[in-house]
Amino acid sequence: MCGLLLLLSTAATTARADVKLPAIFSDHMVLQRDVAVPVWGWAEPGEAVTVSIAGQTKNATADAAGKWSVKLDKLSGTNSLTLVVSGKNKITVNDVLVGEVWLGSGQSNMQMWMKSVRDLEQEKAAAKFPQIRMFTVKRHETVTPQKDCEGAWVLCSPETVETFSATAYFFGRELHQKLGVPVGIIAASVGATPIETWTSMEKMEGKKELAPVFNEWAAKMREPFDPVKAQAQYEKQLAAWKTNSAKRVAEGKPAGYAPEKPVPPREHKNYPANLFNGMIAPIIPYAIRGAIWYQGENSGREGFAQLYEYQLPLLIADWRERWGQGDFPFAWVQLANYRSFTNSPSPVSHWAMVREGMLKSLAVTNTGMAVAIDVGEADNIHPKNKQAVGYRLGLWARAQVYGEKIPF
């Protein structure tokens, strides 16, 4: 028995001593070129850690909380590299490329997979771009900022591209083909989510402009949450969705989203900062060139659409401050056309108000907007022409970020 306890104690000590990297530092990753690249992780407090790549070596010591970090000198070139992190154990990250890294975030139109775009078979057959890689952050909403996330870098191929974010893929393809360098996309998006869940709580707290948002959630939290009753209602909704989605699929229409499992309001994916905590905080400060956004808006909610012109600049400022890379480029997709509001009971279109908020946000330095008013679909809130959207975002980046002279 004593021997077993000693063995367990030794195993636990060894596990604590192991050097660990965040999930985003893994095989096939793309590192941002021509900038100092942060690399960080965890180890036993006081443990010496060495990070080596492309002929350079950096040293660090884990602090009292077990956190360590280094900054690599600027990297360039297109050869596959190996990153080695050593402490009491050694981690080898293979097939590392250096190129352009962008974050793609937002709601369902950014999350929308390639398998839902127009001309899918043609696009799949052409998707032979092993130097385009995508890291899709697994959905995780939580009330506290997380240190790590789940995900893996995936090489673009006809076999893998169906599960890539379509907008992010077409954007990345445009850059890869025109710049001739590897492109890495970090995809962090969740359908049906407003912008406040992607913004940190620290940035939003105390802002009088956001009182309607916090007041709405405060009201929800005052109502008793009955998990048994909520689960029963969810099961009824799920059964109805299965019936309706099967019918829609048979008619060649999208199945639509399944109902969400019930959770207390404070734990909901849309509660302010919950997706920032679980999906953005863990990837900061991974070096990126910039971000594309689509769209996290409140277009259908009375009393909220007018907040967007305040919320979008707030999110941009929040992310820029936390990354510490200055005013990095940030572009978004303006709301596409969808249905007619002629018979709306409201005299003002909430969609128009959000579009105006997006337009006004161009006052923020180093930002851009892809107009999509002409590529929407009257009966599909997730238009399939993501090629045009990705191309327009890419065109903006080529001109404004990379300095290409493009005749318009």
Side-chain angles (χ1 to χ4, degrees):
M1 183 66 176
C2 290
L4 176 60
L5 289 175
L6 177 61
L7 178 62
L8 292 174
S9 175
T10 302
T13 301
T14 302
R16 287 198 303 272
D18 281 352
V19 171
K20 182 184 176 184
L21 286 169
I24 200 165
F25 288 96
S26 51
D27 291 350
H28 314 304
M29 69 179 177
V30 182
L31 296 177
Q32 178 60 47
R33 62 176 178 166
D34 300 329
V35 301
V37 175
V39 180
W40 70 94
W42 305 274
E44 189 76 9
E47 184 173 348
V49 178
T50 301
V51 179
S52 302
I53 189 173
Q56 59 174 292
T57 299
K58 301 294 180 182
N59 299 304
T61 301
D63 63 18
K67 177 75 179 288
W68 59 265
S69 64
V70 301
K71 274 199 173 182
L72 300 174
D73 298 333
K74 295 179 181 181
L75 297 163
S76 60
T78 57
N79 293 328
S80 178
L81 304 173
T82 301
L83 175 74
V84 178
V85 179
S86 302
K88 295 178 181 178
N89 62 302
K90 183 169 75 172
I91 301 173
T92 301
V93 182
N94 298 302
D95 187 30
V96 178
L97 296 184
V98 177
E100 291 299 302
V101 181
W102 285 78
L103 169 63
S105 188
Q107 62 185 111
S108 53
N109 270 301
M110 180 63 80
Q111 183 183 17
M112 179 178 155
W113 291 346
M114 281 289 293
K115 66 180 181 181
S116 298
V117 302
R118 70 177 191 179
D119 303 326
L120 172 61
E121 294 306 317
Q122 177 182 330
E123 295 292 0
K124 280 176 59 178
K128 300 174 182 178
F129 302 107
Q131 289 194 333
I132 298 177
R133 282 98 186 269
M134 189 169 294
F135 182 95
T136 302
V137 180
K138 183 178 179 179
R139 172 179 162 176
H140 185 201
E141 58 267 32
T142 178
V143 301
T144 56
Q146 300 298 293
K147 297 178 180 178
D148 203 359
C149 62
E150 292 185 50
W153 287 97
V154 178
L155 279 65
C156 176
S157 71
E159 293 72 36
T160 63
V161 76
E162 277 198 20
T163 58
F164 280 23
S165 157
T167 294
Y169 166 70
F170 289 123
F171 169 76
R173 186 181 70 178
E174 180 68 16
L175 298 187
H176 176 60
Q177 291 182 317
K178 295 302 189 295
L179 301 177
V181 300
V183 172
I185 300 289
I186 304 168
S189 51
V190 177
T193 55
I195 194 168
E196 57 264 21
T197 192
W198 296 100
T199 310
S200 74
M201 186 62 73
E202 290 82 359
K203 195 67 175 176
M204 295 185 290
E205 279 184 321
K207 300 291 192 299
K208 63 180 186 300
E209 293 88 348
L210 297 182
V213 173
F214 286 97
N215 290 342
E216 180 186 53
W217 282 104
K220 290 179 180 179
M221 292 172 68
R222 285 193 294 269
E223 298 176 3
F225 178 76
D226 184 337
V228 176
K229 183 178 179 181
Q231 181 65 25
Q233 184 178 8
Y234 162 73
E235 289 174 359
K236 288 182 180 179
Q237 292 172 339
L238 184 62
W241 173 80
K242 287 180 178 179
T243 300
N244 293 333
S245 64
K247 181 179 178 181
R248 289 177 60 83
V249 170
E251 295 171 349
K253 300 177 181 178
Y257 286 110
E260 297 268 340
K261 291 184 178 181
V263 295
R266 184 62 184 87
E267 300 172 18
H268 196 275
K269 66 175 183 177
N270 288 349
Y271 191 91
N274 277 3
L275 287 175
F276 171 87
N277 292 337
M279 298 178 67
I280 300 299
I283 60 176
I284 299 173
Y286 194 89
I288 59 175
R289 176 66 70 191
I292 54 174
W293 173 256
Y294 188 175
Q295 60 232 13
E297 36 70 29
N298 293 307
S299 59
R301 298 170 66 200
E302 187 74 39
F304 289 86
Q306 77 279 8
L307 300 180
Y308 204 82
E309 65 181 84
Y310 175 77
Q311 289 181 287
L312 182 55
L314 192 70
L315 176 134
I316 296 169
D318 185 29
W319 288 9
R320 284 174 171 176
E321 290 168 10
R322 291 176 179 279
W323 252 276
Q325 292 185 201
D327 292 339
F328 64 69
F330 192 108
W332 55 89
V333 181
Q334 194 181 43
L335 281 173
N337 51 330
Y338 175 64
R339 294 185 177 174
S340 170
F341 293 92
T342 304
N343 298 319
S344 170
S346 172
V348 178
S349 165
H350 301 143
W351 282 55
M353 293 175 69
V354 173
R355 286 193 191 100
E356 183 179 27
M358 290 174 162
L359 181 64
K360 289 180 177 180
S361 296
L362 287 173
V364 178
T365 185
N366 207 15
T367 59
M369 181 175 75
V371 174
I373 195 71
D374 59 325
V375 293
E377 298 177 30
D379 297 317
N380 187 359
I381 202 168
H382 305 119
K384 294 185 176 183
N385 186 4
K386 292 296 188 280
Q387 291 90 332
V389 174
Y391 169 73
R392 291 172 186 182
L393 287 168
L395 200 64
W396 164 80
R398 287 166 53 197
Q400 300 301 319
V401 179
Y402 300 105
E404 184 178 344
K405 295 187 183 300
I406 299 174
F408 289 99

